Amino acid sequence: MKAFLGIELGSTRIKAVAIDQTGKPLASGGFDWENRFENGVWTYHLEDVRTGLQESYRELAADYQEKHGTLPEIAGIGISAMMHGYLVLDEDNNQLVEFRTWRNTITGKSSELLTKEFGFSIPQRWSIAHLHHAVSKRESHVNDIRNLTTLAGYVHFRLTGEKVVGVGEASGFMPVDSSTNNYHAEKVSIFDSLVEEYNLPWKLLDIMPKVLSAGENAGYLTEEGAKLLDPTGNLKAGIPFCPPEGDAGTGMVATNAIKPNTGNISAGTSVFAMLVLEKPLTKLLPKIDKITTPTGRPVAMVHSNTCTSDLDAWVNLFGDAMTKMENTPDKTELYKVLYNAALKGDSDCGGLVSVNYLAGEHMTGFTEGRPLFARTPDSNFSIENFMRSLLFSSISTVRIGMDILTEEGVKVSKLLGHGGLFKTPVVGQRLMAGVLNIPIAVMESAGEGGAWGIALLAAYAVNKEKDESLEDFLDDKIFAGSEVTTITPDPEDVKGYEKYLSRYKSALEVEHTAVEVLANRG
C-alpha cells in the first residue's frame, strides 16, 4: 500500500496526515505553536517551522506504527499553510526580515493605493500589499529580495528547491487572471510602474514564485528536504509534490466545495467564507477578497482576522479556575459543556455583548484589536448568555461581510462548515446557521481539516487519470457516499441574533475607544 502525506501549518497547530488512495486517513501527527506579537508585528519564528515539521512527521510515523506497522512508501506529498503575509529571502536564501503574517494590519496606505490603481480589492494581509509597504517605507532589506513567498511556498521550497505556489495560494498573493491561471499581467506592470521611482534591482516577476494548478507536478523531495522533514533518515528523496496551497484552497477541497455555486466556511483562529462563482465579480468591493480555487475558478472570499481566539481564552480561563480548585477538567468535555450551555441562553444573549478583536479587522476598519465584554446593569448575566455572546461575537464580522455580497445579489443555498468551531457537535453549526441565516452542512470528514485537503491534492496529482478534473476526482473517488449533516436556521436564533448584531455594531464604537486608550503591551 502507498500513502499520501499532507502537512498544513495552521494558526495554532502544524498537522500532518497520511491517507490512502481513497482518501481514508491512516495516521496523523501534530505540533502546537502560536503566533508572537513582537515589535508591533504578528510573526512566527522559522526555527519553529523546522521543529514543527519534524515533530508532526515523527508523531505521524509513530501513530502509523502503532496502528498498522511500518509506515509504507510515501507516493506523494503536499504542503499547505496560512495564506498571505510577507516572507522574503536573499540570493543565499537567508531570511531578510521577520515573517509578517496575515494577522498584521500595518499596510493600510499600500492596500488603499493598490486597490485604487489595480481596480481590484487588495486587502492589507495580501503579500503584494506587504511588499509595497516595505518598498514605500524604504526598508533597508528591499534591494536584497530575491524570493518573495508565503509560508506554504517557503516550506515547499525548503523541501523541493522549487519556487512555486498553487494558483489558489497565488490568488491571495497578487491578483490572478482565471483565464490564464497566472498572475494578472496588467497588474504586474502597474506595480512595477508604481515602484519605479525606488530604482529597485528587480522586477516583480523576478521575485515571485511560479504559479501551478492542481494536478501539476511541483517538484520532488530533495535529499536535504528529506533530512529536514525526517532526521532519522527513513524518508527517502524523490517523492513527487503537488503545488503548495493556502488554507483557503485546502478548505475548499476538504469540503468538496470547488464547483460553481458551492461554498464553505472555515471557522478557527480566523473565519472565512468562500463562495465559488460562475464568473468573476466585476464590481470593486474593497472588503471582499477575489481569490480562486486550486483549479483557478473565481471565488468571493469574506475574511475576518479573529474567530475563536478570544473564545478559547475564556474557556482556558474557566479551565484554569477549575484546576486551581483541584478539579482539572478534560478539555474536550469542558468545551462541550460550555458550548452546549450557549444553546440554553436567551436568543439575543440577554443584553450581553462581546467584541473578540485580538488583532486589527479590515472589515470593520480596525488596525488593532482589544477584546472586550460589556453588559448593562439589567442584563441577564448567566453562563449560558455569556457563552452564547462569545460564540455570536466570533462570527459577527464575517456576517457583516456576507451582507455585502447579499446586497450585490450573490446567493448561496448552503455552506459546508469545517474548523475548530464545529468540533463540538451541533452547537457551532446551529449558531452559524442562525447568524448567517443560511443552512450549514458538515461532512463526517470535515474534522480532518486542511492537512487532509492538501493530502487529497497530492493524491490527485499522482493518481489522476488522463483529463480527469479535480471536481470529478473528488466526487467519484473521495466523497461518493459521504455523510452530510445539515442544520437549517432556527427562526428564534435568527431573530435573536439580529438584536445581538445591532448591539454588536454599537459596541464597535466602544472598541474604537478601547484601541485608543488601552495601550498594547506588545
Side-chain angles (χ1 to χ4, degrees):
M1 180 179 67
K2 294 183 179 180
F4 297 89
L5 174 64
I7 300 176
E8 181 159 278
L9 295 92
S11 301
T12 59
R13 186 168 174 79
I14 298 173
K15 185 177 181 180
V17 172
I19 65 171
D20 65 15
Q21 62 184 13
T22 69
K24 178 183 176 181
L26 302 172
S28 65
F31 174 79
D32 293 333
W33 70 340
E34 265 293 351
N35 54 190
R36 309 166 188 238
F37 191 67
E38 298 176 342
N39 302 316
V41 172
W42 291 100
T43 188
Y44 294 85
H45 291 185
L46 294 191
E47 55 262 36
D48 292 339
V49 171
R50 173 185 290 270
T51 301
L53 288 172
Q54 293 177 353
E55 182 62 18
S56 58
Y57 182 81
R58 185 196 65 77
E59 281 196 3
L60 177 142
D63 185 44
Y64 192 95
Q65 178 70 41
E66 182 179 335
K67 292 176 178 176
H68 311 290
T70 303
L71 187 67
E73 176 187 350
I74 302 295
I77 301 177
I79 301 296
S80 176
M82 301 166 280
M83 288 181 73
H84 319 298
Y86 184 71
L87 212 168
V88 286
L89 308 177
D90 65 14
E91 62 182 354
D92 296 319
N93 300 318
N94 296 311
Q95 185 181 9
L96 288 169
V97 292
E98 71 281 330
F99 167 40
R100 300 167 184 176
T101 77
W102 56 271
R103 179 163 258 169
N104 288 287
T105 48
I106 58 177
T107 65
K109 290 184 179 180
S110 292
S111 172
E112 291 177 10
L113 175 64
L114 293 176
T115 296
K116 177 183 176 182
E117 295 295 329
F118 286 176
F120 189 103
S121 176
I122 303 296
Q124 291 196 52
R125 64 187 179 279
W126 279 33
S127 304
I128 196 67
H130 279 280
L131 176 63
H132 186 272
H133 172 80
V135 170
S136 64
K137 292 294 183 180
R138 298 184 185 274
E139 294 190 27
S140 60
H141 72 276
V142 296
N143 284 333
D144 297 323
I145 297 174
R146 296 298 179 268
N147 184 4
L148 166 65
T149 190
T150 61
L151 184 56
Y154 170 79
V155 173
H156 183 93
F157 170 66
R158 289 299 186 191
L159 297 176
T160 67
E162 300 290 339
K163 298 178 181 179
V164 301
V165 291
V167 64
E169 176 79 332
S171 70
F173 189 112
M174 169 81 189
V176 161
D177 184 346
S178 287
S179 67
T180 63
N181 277 12
N182 207 338
Y183 301 117
H184 199 290
E186 179 186 4
K187 293 170 177 52
V188 169
S189 296
I190 291 172
F191 183 90
D192 283 335
S193 297
L194 288 173
V195 299
E196 190 173 8
E197 63 181 285
Y198 298 97
N199 297 314
L200 299 167
W202 46 260
K203 297 291 187 181
L204 187 56
L205 288 180
D206 296 335
I207 63 173
M208 291 197 299
K210 181 181 178 181
V211 182
L212 299 176
S213 298
E216 292 190 79
N217 176 270
Y220 298 86
L221 184 66
T222 63
E223 294 285 352
E224 181 183 11
K227 291 177 182 177
L228 187 157
L229 191 55
D230 180 22
T232 68
N234 291 326
L235 187 64
K236 304 303 180 185
I239 302 170
F241 276 67
C242 68
E245 272 293 351
D247 49 1
T250 56
M252 293 183 226
V253 172
T255 54
N256 197 23
I258 61 170
K259 291 180 287 188
N261 300 317
T262 61
N264 80 314
I265 186 159
S266 173
T269 303
S270 62
V271 55
F272 43 90
M274 289 162 291
L275 311 180
V276 186
L277 308 173
E278 291 186 339
K279 55 185 179 179
L281 291 169
T282 56
K283 186 174 181 180
L284 176 60
L285 301 172
K287 295 182 179 181
I288 304 299
D289 288 20
K290 299 176 183 178
I291 63 168
T292 77
T293 68
T295 59
R297 291 189 183 278
V299 174
M301 179 181 185
V302 179
H303 186 281
S304 173
N305 280 352
T306 307
C307 182
T308 61
S309 293
D310 187 47
L311 173 63
D312 291 341
W314 281 105
V315 173
N316 289 336
L317 185 72
F318 292 138
D320 188 43
M322 293 178 68
T323 298
K324 285 179 168 53
M325 297 171 64
E326 299 184 354
N327 185 25
T328 301
D330 174 80
K331 198 162 188 177
T332 300
E333 185 64 19
L334 180 61
Y335 270 94
K336 180 180 178 181
V337 169
L338 291 174
Y339 269 46
N340 277 283
L343 297 183
K344 299 176 183 178
D346 298 328
S347 63
D348 70 342
C349 305
L352 279 54
V353 66
S354 169
V355 178
N356 67 324
Y357 292 174
L358 194 68
E361 190 56 70
H362 77 288
M363 188 68 67
T364 46
F366 288 86
T367 57
E368 296 180 43
R370 303 289 186 272
L372 61 85
F373 168 76
R375 62 188 176 98
T376 58
D378 60 347
S379 296
N380 183 6
F381 189 30
S382 66
I383 189 66
E384 291 83 4
N385 283 331
F386 182 68
M387 290 305 303
R388 191 177 182 92
S389 173
L390 294 178
L391 283 159
F392 272 174
S393 175
S394 66
I395 43 183
S396 285
T397 303
V398 82
R399 158 62 191 269
I400 292 170
M402 289 291 287
D403 285 346
I404 295 173
L405 288 178
T406 299
E407 291 170 4
E408 292 301 316
V410 176
K411 297 180 181 179
V412 59
S413 58
K414 69 178 179 181
L415 291 173
L416 276 292
H418 72 119
L421 191 74
F422 301 107
K423 284 184 179 179
T424 299
V426 178
V427 183
Q429 191 179 357
R430 173 180 153 180
L431 294 183
M432 181 74 78
V435 168
L436 300 182
N437 199 14
I438 296 171
I440 302 296
V442 172
M443 291 183 175
E444 58 180 344
S445 56
E448 300 297 338
W452 184 63
I454 193 66
L456 293 178
L457 287 173
Y460 171 66
V462 173
N463 284 342
K464 70 180 187 300
E465 298 175 13
K466 185 179 180 181
D467 298 327
E468 182 180 29
S469 69
L470 178 60
E471 291 87 346
D472 288 343
F473 175 81
L474 294 176
D475 279 346
D476 299 339
K477 297 178 179 177
I478 304 300
F479 290 102
S482 294
E483 293 184 16
V484 180
T485 302
T486 303
I487 291 182
T488 57
D490 182 298
E492 286 300 312
D493 288 341
V494 174
K495 183 179 178 181
Y497 177 73
E498 292 301 325
K499 292 182 180 179
Y500 182 85
L501 180 60
S502 177
R503 192 182 313 127
Y504 180 85
K505 289 179 177 178
S506 297
L508 292 180
E509 292 301 315
V510 183
E511 177 74 5
H512 278 294
T513 301
V515 170
E516 291 174 6
V517 303
L518 298 177
N520 197 327
R521 295 176 60 189

